[in-house]
Each structure stands twice: as C-alpha cells, then as structure tokens.
Amino acid sequence: MNDFLIYGIGGLLICFTVATFVLSRLDVETIPEDYEFKLDPFWYLAGIMLFGGVTVYSLFPTLGDMVAPYGYFNIAAPAVMAAIIYFCYVLGMDRLANVLTLGAAYFMVETMPDSFRLFPEQLDLWQEKIALTLILFTISKGFGLLNGLGGIASIQFIAIALCMAILVYFGALPQVLGVVALTYAGVLVAFAFFSWPPEKILMSDGAFCAFGFIIGCLMLNGAAEFAEASLFISASYLFTETGLVLYRRYIERVPCVRGFMCTSYFLISDDGKYEQGVARGVLKILVVDLVLATIQIASTERLAFPVFAVTLNLWLLSILSGDTKPEELLSISKWGKNAIKGALAKKKNNKKSRKK
C-alpha cells in the first residue's frame, strides 16, 4: 500500500506540476480552424504523460517489479493506438478514425485471456468479445461527446482514475494500474483548471477520444481483475450521456451538428446562463458515482449497482435539466422545496381549469 501511495501520488504531482506550467504557456482560447501542431494541447499532454511515467519509473526502480507482471504491452499498446486514432482526426478522416477505434478495441479485447468473462451466463465467448469491443468503443467515443463544455470530459477521466486508485488501495486491482491511472490523472487535473468554465483552452473531440481509448483499456484490464462492477459505476455518467445522445439524435431526431450538442449538459447551458452551475452539477453526479463505486467493493452483486447507478444518473440529469437550478443539484432541502412548490402550483392550475 505504501509503495502505491508513493508512486501514484508522485506521478500525479509530477504530471500536474509540469502540465500546469506547460499549459499556462499556451496562450490559446480555442483551437484555430486552420490546424497548427504547436497549438494543439493534446501533444503537450500526451508528452507529459510519457515524461511523468518515465520519471516515476526512473525515481523508483522497484516499480519495475510491479510493471513486469502486468506487462509493458498493456501500458504501451493503448498509448500507441490512441496516437494513431488521433492522427486520423487531425487529418479530418473521422470515418477512418471510427473504423480504427473499433479495430483497436477488438485487438485489445483479443489480447485478453479467454478465462476473462464478463457475461459468462448470458453470452458465448465470441458474443462477449463483440460486446466488450463495443463497450471499449463507446468509452472512447463517449469521451469525445463529453468534450464541449469546460472540463466535463476531464473530470470524468479523473473520476475513473480515482476509482481505480481506491480499488488499488483496497487490494482489488494491481498496484501498477493505480500508479498509471494517477499519473494520467495528474495531466487531466491540470487541464481541468484551464478548461473549467469560462474555459481558457480547448482540446478537440479527437483528443478526448484518444484519451478515452487509453482509460478504456485500463478499465478493461481492471475488469479482468474482477473489479468490473465498480469501474462500470465510475463510468456510468459517460454511458448515460452517450445513450441520451443516441436517443435524441436517432429517435427524437434532434438536429445537432456535433454529437456533444445533444448532451444534457450542453442543452441545459445552451443559453450560457448556468454554464458553471452545470459543470458543478455534473461534478456532483460524478462524486455520487464514485461513492457508489466504492460501496460496490463490499457488494457480492456484480451488476446490480451499475444498473442502479445509471438509473440514478438519469434521475439526477432530469433534475439538472428541470426547474431546479444546476447549483442546487444534490441539495435535498432545495429538491423538497421545489417539489412542494411544483405540486402546489399544479394543484392551483387544476382548480382554475375546473372552474373554467
């Protein structure tokens, strides 16, 4: 436990410090329409991830004893594939990027041992591999959808990384997974400072798809250690928003140029009035998910809490997008007060309609 805390917190602080310094030198409010390599924050953040990992590995030689059983391939392969995926987005080949993401997801699933089964009673082996590929693909694309309002995608990444750290602390995951997750989280914590509303710097959707692929691969390896339920809960907001986007775009036929424009947080803050409040509201939802993911460690039910977490996320988002202001989210007294007001107003309107 002590080794994990030293390595993990060390990696987080190194990446956070360096990333904060570097990002403060990028005097860019938006990514220009004419793409410029030197102005793209993704490459700075990706480079700092590599720098932070190598630095932690160099400062603590015994870390090699943790990495070797886990496998260098499991750390390097997702990063390399994420870079390839991002290059496709940079070149404007979104369809090819989708195909590559799907292929890369299937490749990572194929590298998992056949003994790893997420739905052994419900699906055959080949069906499960397809399901896992789609889950990993959804995580990658989902991060791209969450990009668009401040640090929404960043705090989702950080929430999953913190969940992994908690699982490592309680012995549910290998220590190296927690170290890598916290090292990556340090970079995104720094980015969240600059991308919190009103944002000073932005990353493209392709950048977050690449980061999403990396964290998705870490989650896949975490699921192989029988921690899949907690990890699904930590990502339940991502799955909920992705599902809502698909529903709004293809069932309700809501017109939107880009996917994130159909997300709840964007629709709520479309007028710009409650932008910071929406970001705080989403942060509170992620805190609830993190608490549920921690409770799941002691639960024998593998998939009961994840279903409950998605349902709870839908409920919280419905409140966030209703009459309750985002900054009042998770305030029981405000909920009760607003509910009573709404009930009285409805009763009063019913009486007026009856008189008429």
PDB file of all heavy atoms in Angstrom, residues 148-150 152 197 260 263-279 320-321 326:
ATOM      1  N   GLY A 148     -16.790  19.640 -24.883  1.00  0.00           N
ATOM      2  CA  GLY A 148     -17.637  20.677 -25.458  1.00  0.00           C
ATOM      3  C   GLY A 148     -18.035  21.737 -24.461  1.00  0.00           C
ATOM      4  O   GLY A 148     -18.372  22.848 -24.835  1.00  0.00           O
ATOM      5  N   LEU A 149     -18.018  21.405 -23.196  1.00  0.00           N
ATOM      6  CA  LEU A 149     -18.333  22.402 -22.168  1.00  0.00           C
ATOM      7  C   LEU A 149     -17.298  22.286 -21.051  1.00  0.00           C
ATOM      8  O   LEU A 149     -17.377  21.411 -20.195  1.00  0.00           O
ATOM      9  CB  LEU A 149     -19.738  22.188 -21.607  1.00  0.00           C
ATOM     10  CG  LEU A 149     -20.104  23.048 -20.381  1.00  0.00           C
ATOM     11  CD1 LEU A 149     -20.085  24.524 -20.732  1.00  0.00           C
ATOM     12  CD2 LEU A 149     -21.466  22.662 -19.840  1.00  0.00           C
ATOM     13  N   GLY A 150     -16.325  23.185 -21.079  1.00  0.00           N
ATOM     14  CA  GLY A 150     -15.358  23.221 -19.995  1.00  0.00           C
ATOM     15  C   GLY A 150     -14.650  21.895 -19.774  1.00  0.00           C
ATOM     16  O   GLY A 150     -14.193  21.233 -20.708  1.00  0.00           O
ATOM     17  N   ILE A 152     -15.803  18.960 -18.557  1.00  0.00           N
ATOM     18  CA  ILE A 152     -16.682  17.815 -18.309  1.00  0.00           C
ATOM     19  C   ILE A 152     -15.962  16.494 -18.566  1.00  0.00           C
ATOM     20  O   ILE A 152     -15.983  15.574 -17.747  1.00  0.00           O
ATOM     21  CB  ILE A 152     -17.954  17.901 -19.178  1.00  0.00           C
ATOM     22  CG1 ILE A 152     -18.768  19.153 -18.840  1.00  0.00           C
ATOM     23  CG2 ILE A 152     -18.809  16.646 -19.008  1.00  0.00           C
ATOM     24  CD1 ILE A 152     -19.349  19.155 -17.454  1.00  0.00           C
ATOM     25  N   PRO A 197     -15.190  26.237 -16.901  1.00  0.00           N
ATOM     26  CA  PRO A 197     -15.846  27.475 -17.363  1.00  0.00           C
ATOM     27  C   PRO A 197     -15.489  28.676 -16.506  1.00  0.00           C
ATOM     28  O   PRO A 197     -15.518  28.557 -15.283  1.00  0.00           O
ATOM     29  CB  PRO A 197     -17.338  27.134 -17.233  1.00  0.00           C
ATOM     30  CG  PRO A 197     -17.400  25.633 -17.231  1.00  0.00           C
ATOM     31  CD  PRO A 197     -16.144  25.170 -16.592  1.00  0.00           C
ATOM     32  N   PHE A 260     -21.889  16.343 -29.173  1.00  0.00           N
ATOM     33  CA  PHE A 260     -21.993  16.877 -27.817  1.00  0.00           C
ATOM     34  C   PHE A 260     -23.134  17.880 -27.675  1.00  0.00           C
ATOM     35  O   PHE A 260     -23.575  18.178 -26.559  1.00  0.00           O
ATOM     36  CB  PHE A 260     -20.663  17.514 -27.382  1.00  0.00           C
ATOM     37  CG  PHE A 260     -20.385  18.873 -27.941  1.00  0.00           C
ATOM     38  CD1 PHE A 260     -20.865  20.007 -27.305  1.00  0.00           C
ATOM     39  CD2 PHE A 260     -19.631  19.023 -29.094  1.00  0.00           C
ATOM     40  CE1 PHE A 260     -20.601  21.269 -27.808  1.00  0.00           C
ATOM     41  CE2 PHE A 260     -19.367  20.274 -29.603  1.00  0.00           C
ATOM     42  CZ  PHE A 260     -19.855  21.408 -28.965  1.00  0.00           C
ATOM     43  N   THR A 263     -26.037  16.452 -25.782  1.00  0.00           N
ATOM     44  CA  THR A 263     -25.873  16.014 -24.396  1.00  0.00           C
ATOM     45  C   THR A 263     -26.687  16.905 -23.466  1.00  0.00           C
ATOM     46  O   THR A 263     -27.021  18.046 -23.803  1.00  0.00           O
ATOM     47  CB  THR A 263     -24.389  16.074 -23.979  1.00  0.00           C
ATOM     48  OG1 THR A 263     -23.893  17.399 -24.210  1.00  0.00           O
ATOM     49  CG2 THR A 263     -23.556  15.082 -24.751  1.00  0.00           C
ATOM     50  N   SER A 264     -26.985  16.390 -22.291  1.00  0.00           N
ATOM     51  CA  SER A 264     -27.801  17.125 -21.322  1.00  0.00           C
ATOM     52  C   SER A 264     -27.109  18.409 -20.899  1.00  0.00           C
ATOM     53  O   SER A 264     -27.724  19.477 -20.845  1.00  0.00           O
ATOM     54  CB  SER A 264     -28.068  16.252 -20.092  1.00  0.00           C
ATOM     55  OG  SER A 264     -28.718  15.066 -20.469  1.00  0.00           O
ATOM     56  N   TYR A 265     -25.811  18.320 -20.591  1.00  0.00           N
ATOM     57  CA  TYR A 265     -25.110  19.492 -20.076  1.00  0.00           C
ATOM     58  C   TYR A 265     -25.065  20.612 -21.107  1.00  0.00           C
ATOM     59  O   TYR A 265     -25.105  21.788 -20.756  1.00  0.00           O
ATOM     60  CB  TYR A 265     -23.699  19.124 -19.605  1.00  0.00           C
ATOM     61  CG  TYR A 265     -22.768  18.660 -20.700  1.00  0.00           C
ATOM     62  CD1 TYR A 265     -22.084  19.572 -21.495  1.00  0.00           C
ATOM     63  CD2 TYR A 265     -22.559  17.307 -20.929  1.00  0.00           C
ATOM     64  CE1 TYR A 265     -21.233  19.156 -22.493  1.00  0.00           C
ATOM     65  CE2 TYR A 265     -21.706  16.884 -21.929  1.00  0.00           C
ATOM     66  CZ  TYR A 265     -21.049  17.811 -22.705  1.00  0.00           C
ATOM     67  OH  TYR A 265     -20.214  17.379 -23.701  1.00  0.00           O
ATOM     68  N   PHE A 266     -24.988  20.259 -22.404  1.00  0.00           N
ATOM     69  CA  PHE A 266     -24.949  21.302 -23.429  1.00  0.00           C
ATOM     70  C   PHE A 266     -26.325  21.933 -23.619  1.00  0.00           C
ATOM     71  O   PHE A 266     -26.446  23.157 -23.733  1.00  0.00           O
ATOM     72  CB  PHE A 266     -24.460  20.729 -24.760  1.00  0.00           C
ATOM     73  CG  PHE A 266     -24.354  21.771 -25.852  1.00  0.00           C
ATOM     74  CD1 PHE A 266     -23.223  22.563 -25.956  1.00  0.00           C
ATOM     75  CD2 PHE A 266     -25.390  21.969 -26.752  1.00  0.00           C
ATOM     76  CE1 PHE A 266     -23.121  23.536 -26.947  1.00  0.00           C
ATOM     77  CE2 PHE A 266     -25.300  22.937 -27.742  1.00  0.00           C
ATOM     78  CZ  PHE A 266     -24.164  23.717 -27.838  1.00  0.00           C
ATOM     79  N   LEU A 267     -27.370  21.110 -23.659  1.00  0.00           N
ATOM     80  CA  LEU A 267     -28.720  21.629 -23.847  1.00  0.00           C
ATOM     81  C   LEU A 267     -29.123  22.543 -22.696  1.00  0.00           C
ATOM     82  O   LEU A 267     -29.802  23.550 -22.886  1.00  0.00           O
ATOM     83  CB  LEU A 267     -29.720  20.469 -23.972  1.00  0.00           C
ATOM     84  CG  LEU A 267     -29.543  19.579 -25.208  1.00  0.00           C
ATOM     85  CD1 LEU A 267     -30.486  18.393 -25.146  1.00  0.00           C
ATOM     86  CD2 LEU A 267     -29.776  20.375 -26.485  1.00  0.00           C
ATOM     87  N   ILE A 268     -28.683  22.185 -21.476  1.00  0.00           N
ATOM     88  CA  ILE A 268     -29.018  22.996 -20.302  1.00  0.00           C
ATOM     89  C   ILE A 268     -28.313  24.342 -20.372  1.00  0.00           C
ATOM     90  O   ILE A 268     -28.877  25.382 -20.051  1.00  0.00           O
ATOM     91  CB  ILE A 268     -28.623  22.260 -19.006  1.00  0.00           C
ATOM     92  CG1 ILE A 268     -29.410  20.956 -18.881  1.00  0.00           C
ATOM     93  CG2 ILE A 268     -28.877  23.134 -17.783  1.00  0.00           C
ATOM     94  CD1 ILE A 268     -28.819  19.993 -17.886  1.00  0.00           C
ATOM     95  N   SER A 269     -27.047  24.305 -20.791  1.00  0.00           N
ATOM     96  CA  SER A 269     -26.233  25.518 -20.759  1.00  0.00           C
ATOM     97  C   SER A 269     -26.199  26.215 -22.109  1.00  0.00           C
ATOM     98  O   SER A 269     -25.341  27.067 -22.341  1.00  0.00           O
ATOM     99  CB  SER A 269     -24.806  25.178 -20.332  1.00  0.00           C
ATOM    100  OG  SER A 269     -24.210  24.347 -21.309  1.00  0.00           O
ATOM    101  N   ASP A 270     -27.103  25.853 -23.002  1.00  0.00           N
ATOM    102  CA  ASP A 270     -27.088  26.406 -24.347  1.00  0.00           C
ATOM    103  C   ASP A 270     -27.192  27.929 -24.348  1.00  0.00           C
ATOM    104  O   ASP A 270     -26.624  28.606 -25.199  1.00  0.00           O
ATOM    105  CB  ASP A 270     -28.234  25.807 -25.171  1.00  0.00           C
ATOM    106  CG  ASP A 270     -28.033  26.013 -26.662  1.00  0.00           C
ATOM    107  OD1 ASP A 270     -26.881  26.264 -27.065  1.00  0.00           O
ATOM    108  OD2 ASP A 270     -29.013  25.939 -27.414  1.00  0.00           O
ATOM    109  N   ASP A 271     -27.935  28.472 -23.374  1.00  0.00           N
ATOM    110  CA  ASP A 271     -28.062  29.925 -23.308  1.00  0.00           C
ATOM    111  C   ASP A 271     -26.889  30.568 -22.565  1.00  0.00           C
ATOM    112  O   ASP A 271     -26.794  31.791 -22.478  1.00  0.00           O
ATOM    113  CB  ASP A 271     -29.368  30.334 -22.632  1.00  0.00           C
ATOM    114  CG  ASP A 271     -29.502  29.769 -21.222  1.00  0.00           C
ATOM    115  OD1 ASP A 271     -28.559  29.051 -20.785  1.00  0.00           O
ATOM    116  OD2 ASP A 271     -30.513  30.028 -20.563  1.00  0.00           O
ATOM    117  N   GLY A 272     -25.995  29.738 -21.990  1.00  0.00           N
ATOM    118  CA  GLY A 272     -24.808  30.251 -21.313  1.00  0.00           C
ATOM    119  C   GLY A 272     -25.069  30.794 -19.933  1.00  0.00           C
ATOM    120  O   GLY A 272     -24.153  31.248 -19.250  1.00  0.00           O
ATOM    121  N   LYS A 273     -26.310  30.725 -19.468  1.00  0.00           N
ATOM    122  CA  LYS A 273     -26.664  31.344 -18.189  1.00  0.00           C
ATOM    123  C   LYS A 273     -26.124  30.559 -17.014  1.00  0.00           C
ATOM    124  O   LYS A 273     -25.681  31.133 -16.013  1.00  0.00           O
ATOM    125  CB  LYS A 273     -28.184  31.467 -18.088  1.00  0.00           C
ATOM    126  CG  LYS A 273     -28.667  32.263 -16.882  1.00  0.00           C
ATOM    127  CD  LYS A 273     -30.173  32.424 -16.922  1.00  0.00           C
ATOM    128  CE  LYS A 273     -30.668  33.244 -15.732  1.00  0.00           C
ATOM    129  NZ  LYS A 273     -32.142  33.400 -15.742  1.00  0.00           N
ATOM    130  N   TYR A 274     -26.167  29.215 -17.104  1.00  0.00           N
ATOM    131  CA  TYR A 274     -25.795  28.385 -15.964  1.00  0.00           C
ATOM    132  C   TYR A 274     -24.579  27.516 -16.276  1.00  0.00           C
ATOM    133  O   TYR A 274     -24.450  26.414 -15.765  1.00  0.00           O
ATOM    134  CB  TYR A 274     -26.961  27.472 -15.575  1.00  0.00           C
ATOM    135  CG  TYR A 274     -28.161  28.202 -15.040  1.00  0.00           C
ATOM    136  CD1 TYR A 274     -29.424  27.979 -15.582  1.00  0.00           C
ATOM    137  CD2 TYR A 274     -28.036  29.095 -13.986  1.00  0.00           C
ATOM    138  CE1 TYR A 274     -30.531  28.646 -15.086  1.00  0.00           C
ATOM    139  CE2 TYR A 274     -29.142  29.767 -13.486  1.00  0.00           C
ATOM    140  CZ  TYR A 274     -30.387  29.537 -14.039  1.00  0.00           C
ATOM    141  OH  TYR A 274     -31.483  30.189 -13.552  1.00  0.00           O
ATOM    142  N   GLU A 275     -23.673  27.986 -17.117  1.00  0.00           N
ATOM    143  CA  GLU A 275     -22.572  27.132 -17.567  1.00  0.00           C
ATOM    144  C   GLU A 275     -21.750  26.593 -16.407  1.00  0.00           C
ATOM    145  O   GLU A 275     -21.485  25.396 -16.328  1.00  0.00           O
ATOM    146  CB  GLU A 275     -21.685  27.911 -18.526  1.00  0.00           C
ATOM    147  CG  GLU A 275     -20.651  27.031 -19.220  1.00  0.00           C
ATOM    148  CD  GLU A 275     -19.932  27.764 -20.328  1.00  0.00           C
ATOM    149  OE1 GLU A 275     -20.510  27.921 -21.408  1.00  0.00           O
ATOM    150  OE2 GLU A 275     -18.789  28.173 -20.093  1.00  0.00           O
ATOM    151  N   GLN A 276     -21.332  27.451 -15.503  1.00  0.00           N
ATOM    152  CA  GLN A 276     -20.542  26.997 -14.357  1.00  0.00           C
ATOM    153  C   GLN A 276     -21.377  26.100 -13.452  1.00  0.00           C
ATOM    154  O   GLN A 276     -20.873  25.124 -12.896  1.00  0.00           O
ATOM    155  CB  GLN A 276     -20.013  28.197 -13.584  1.00  0.00           C
ATOM    156  CG  GLN A 276     -18.908  28.955 -14.306  1.00  0.00           C
ATOM    157  CD  GLN A 276     -18.237  29.979 -13.413  1.00  0.00           C
ATOM    158  OE1 GLN A 276     -18.567  30.095 -12.234  1.00  0.00           O
ATOM    159  NE2 GLN A 276     -17.298  30.714 -13.960  1.00  0.00           N
ATOM    160  N   GLY A 277     -22.640  26.438 -13.286  1.00  0.00           N
ATOM    161  CA  GLY A 277     -23.523  25.615 -12.453  1.00  0.00           C
ATOM    162  C   GLY A 277     -23.699  24.220 -13.003  1.00  0.00           C
ATOM    163  O   GLY A 277     -23.727  23.237 -12.259  1.00  0.00           O
ATOM    164  N   VAL A 278     -23.819  24.112 -14.328  1.00  0.00           N
ATOM    165  CA  VAL A 278     -23.948  22.795 -14.962  1.00  0.00           C
ATOM    166  C   VAL A 278     -22.694  21.967 -14.711  1.00  0.00           C
ATOM    167  O   VAL A 278     -22.764  20.785 -14.374  1.00  0.00           O
ATOM    168  CB  VAL A 278     -24.204  22.944 -16.478  1.00  0.00           C
ATOM    169  CG1 VAL A 278     -24.116  21.596 -17.169  1.00  0.00           C
ATOM    170  CG2 VAL A 278     -25.572  23.558 -16.727  1.00  0.00           C
ATOM    171  N   ALA A 279     -21.520  22.585 -14.880  1.00  0.00           N
ATOM    172  CA  ALA A 279     -20.260  21.871 -14.646  1.00  0.00           C
ATOM    173  C   ALA A 279     -20.173  21.398 -13.198  1.00  0.00           C
ATOM    174  O   ALA A 279     -19.756  20.261 -12.925  1.00  0.00           O
ATOM    175  CB  ALA A 279     -19.081  22.776 -14.982  1.00  0.00           C
ATOM    176  N   LEU A 320     -31.394  18.119 -13.086  1.00  0.00           N
ATOM    177  CA  LEU A 320     -30.486  19.160 -13.559  1.00  0.00           C
ATOM    178  C   LEU A 320     -31.083  19.918 -14.738  1.00  0.00           C
ATOM    179  O   LEU A 320     -30.879  21.117 -14.885  1.00  0.00           O
ATOM    180  CB  LEU A 320     -29.150  18.529 -13.961  1.00  0.00           C
ATOM    181  CG  LEU A 320     -28.010  19.464 -14.356  1.00  0.00           C
ATOM    182  CD1 LEU A 320     -27.596  20.320 -13.175  1.00  0.00           C
ATOM    183  CD2 LEU A 320     -26.834  18.678 -14.877  1.00  0.00           C
ATOM    184  N   SER A 321     -31.836  19.217 -15.578  1.00  0.00           N
ATOM    185  CA  SER A 321     -32.414  19.843 -16.773  1.00  0.00           C
ATOM    186  C   SER A 321     -33.838  20.330 -16.535  1.00  0.00           C
ATOM    187  O   SER A 321     -34.489  20.811 -17.461  1.00  0.00           O
ATOM    188  CB  SER A 321     -32.409  18.845 -17.936  1.00  0.00           C
ATOM    189  OG  SER A 321     -33.135  17.683 -17.583  1.00  0.00           O
ATOM    190  N   PRO A 326     -28.890  24.175 -11.680  1.00  0.00           N
ATOM    191  CA  PRO A 326     -27.771  23.239 -11.535  1.00  0.00           C
ATOM    192  C   PRO A 326     -27.020  23.353 -10.216  1.00  0.00           C
ATOM    193  O   PRO A 326     -26.594  22.356  -9.653  1.00  0.00           O
ATOM    194  CB  PRO A 326     -26.870  23.622 -12.712  1.00  0.00           C
ATOM    195  CG  PRO A 326     -27.787  24.212 -13.706  1.00  0.00           C
ATOM    196  CD  PRO A 326     -28.840  24.931 -12.921  1.00  0.00           C
TER     197      PRO A 326
END
